[in-house]
Amino acid sequence: MWLWIVGIISLIVAVRVIYQRRSGVCPSKRLLYGKTAIVTGSSAGIGKETAKDLARRGARVILACRNVAKAKRVADDIIGTTGNGQVYVKQLDTSDLNSVRRFAKDIIDNEKQLHILVNNAGMAAPNQKQLTSDGLELTMATNHFGHFLLTNMLLDLLKKSAPSRVVNVSSIAHSFSKNFVVDDLNYEKTPYPGSSASYGHSKLANVLFTVELAERMKDTGVTTNCLHPGFVNTEIFYKQGVKIISFLVGFLFVLMGKDEALGAQTSIHLAVSEEVEKISGEYFADCKISPRSDLAKDRGLAKKLWEVSETLVNLSQEDLNYGRK
């Protein structure tokens, strides 16, 4: 019995060591003095570590978070750790389109430039379908629609600040989506597929959004890429309450996954590295371009998702023109 236990523990340790040693690490030493960055969902996890790294490089960093009190504690920690006093907190709930609009208008009114936008905020999907106050499915709203609206509203500022970058945090879970009904993102015509499929659909939307955004931003100086951060031990598994499956997956990630700092490396790489300066529309894992699913390569699907998203978030000329002189 004890031999079995020792063997299992040894296997877990070996897997963890091998996985972490093979994980990509951002090699860039680039400094970001005079640059402004926004990281959504940066009060914990890889968002927090991404914000901390950008602050350490000298950037002016805005933590865009739903929980302001928690984010302020994180900001104080980052300031104390990095010595960079230019770390600020602004309220943003990506599941609430009114919150997104308020945040974007605040940025446009008060920031003269924006060089890095890291769309990191996200949630694991609930077991049962939930709708937001805007009538959108909660997971897709949080992980895709909010960032779609936010990015569109900030595009003028990103263009004016070029070269600039948009980084979208996706997941390998995008490749598990085999039936993505782009005309039914709120599951009104088809049954809610459950937490795993719903999450995978939202992560596929992140990749398709990146593909279409890259096409639309050609020759503007704005690049965009997306990424799988790896299997990371973060609190995302428990935000919807502790369920058996989330507990088991989270526990496995505790035992064998990356820590948050290592999980943030690909986000950081896409935000700062010189070697990706001219790369746009790609999917990365472990700081290098990685294969993506066939659906994620579908340009027609990406274009259709953009059009559907415009309609569902009520993207208006007022949104696009806000702040223009």
Side-chain angles (χ1 to χ4, degrees), residues 39-44 62-68 70-71 89-93 99 103:
V39 184
T40 71
S42 45
S43 63
I62 297 169
L63 310 184
C65 304
R66 181 180 59 83
N67 188 329
V68 171
K70 183 179 179 181
V89 173
K90 291 183 183 289
Q91 203 277 338
L92 171 66
D93 181 352
S99 175
F103 174 85

Side-chain angles (χ1 to χ4, degrees), residues 150-282:
L150 175 65
T151 304
N152 270 282
M153 290 188 69
L154 296 180
L155 278 180
D156 267 3
L157 187 57
L158 285 160
K159 290 176 186 177
K160 292 173 184 175
S161 309
S164 54
R165 307 184 188 191
V166 178
V167 179
N168 297 315
V169 179
S170 182
S171 167
I172 196 173
H174 86 272
S175 62
F176 305 152
S177 295
K178 306 302 180 185
N179 185 27
F180 186 65
V181 184
V182 72
D183 290 317
D184 192 29
L185 297 180
N186 291 318
Y187 307 113
E188 296 169 332
K189 304 171 187 175
T190 55
Y192 182 70
S195 58
S196 296
S198 176
Y199 181 74
H201 290 162
S202 72
K203 294 291 101 180
L204 175 59
N206 294 153
V207 184
L208 293 170
F209 170 49
T210 302
V211 170
E212 182 63 16
L213 180 61
E215 180 66 21
R216 290 172 181 248
M217 290 298 103
K218 279 185 177 179
D219 302 319
T220 66
V222 180
T223 61
T224 179
N225 292 289
C226 58
L227 67 116
H228 167 53
F231 301 106
V232 187
N233 173 29
T234 74
E235 64 181 37
I236 190 173
F237 300 105
Y238 312 112
K239 285 185 176 180
Q240 296 302 304
V242 178
K243 302 183 286 285
I244 291 177
I245 186 63
S246 64
F247 176 81
L248 291 176
V249 173
F251 185 62
L252 285 175
F253 281 19
V254 169
L255 294 177
M256 294 185 288
K258 300 178 181 181
D259 61 24
E260 294 168 345
L262 192 56
Q265 291 302 305
T266 305
S267 295
I268 296 164
H269 178 65
L270 293 179
V272 307
S273 285
E274 298 85 347
E275 65 188 74
V276 297
E277 191 85 43
K278 303 298 182 181
I279 297 174
S280 193
E282 295 290 350

Side-chain angles (χ1 to χ4, degrees), residues 75-185:
D76 289 342
D77 176 68
I78 292 175
I79 291 170
T81 301
T82 66
N84 181 350
Q86 296 191 87
V87 180
Y88 307 94
V89 173
K90 291 183 183 289
Q91 203 277 338
L92 171 66
D93 181 352
T94 56
S95 73
D96 181 345
L97 298 182
N98 286 329
S99 175
V100 174
R101 286 186 167 91
R102 285 194 300 270
F103 174 85
K105 289 176 180 179
D106 185 341
I107 294 299
I108 294 167
D109 287 342
N110 295 291
E111 299 296 329
K112 296 181 180 179
Q113 54 187 3
L114 176 61
H115 303 94
I116 300 167
L117 172 61
V118 182
N119 289 321
N120 167 83
M123 62 171 286
N127 286 332
Q128 303 296 323
K129 176 181 171 180
Q130 296 181 30
L131 296 179
T132 69
S133 58
D134 301 296
L136 303 173
E137 191 278 315
L138 178 61
T139 312
M140 190 65 74
T142 304
N143 296 353
H144 167 63
F145 288 130
H147 287 127
F148 174 83
L149 176 60
L150 175 65
T151 304
N152 270 282
M153 290 188 69
L154 296 180
L155 278 180
D156 267 3
L157 187 57
L158 285 160
K159 290 176 186 177
K160 292 173 184 175
S161 309
S164 54
R165 307 184 188 191
V166 178
V167 179
N168 297 315
V169 179
S170 182
S171 167
I172 196 173
H174 86 272
S175 62
F176 305 152
S177 295
K178 306 302 180 185
N179 185 27
F180 186 65
V181 184
V182 72
D183 290 317
D184 192 29
L185 297 180

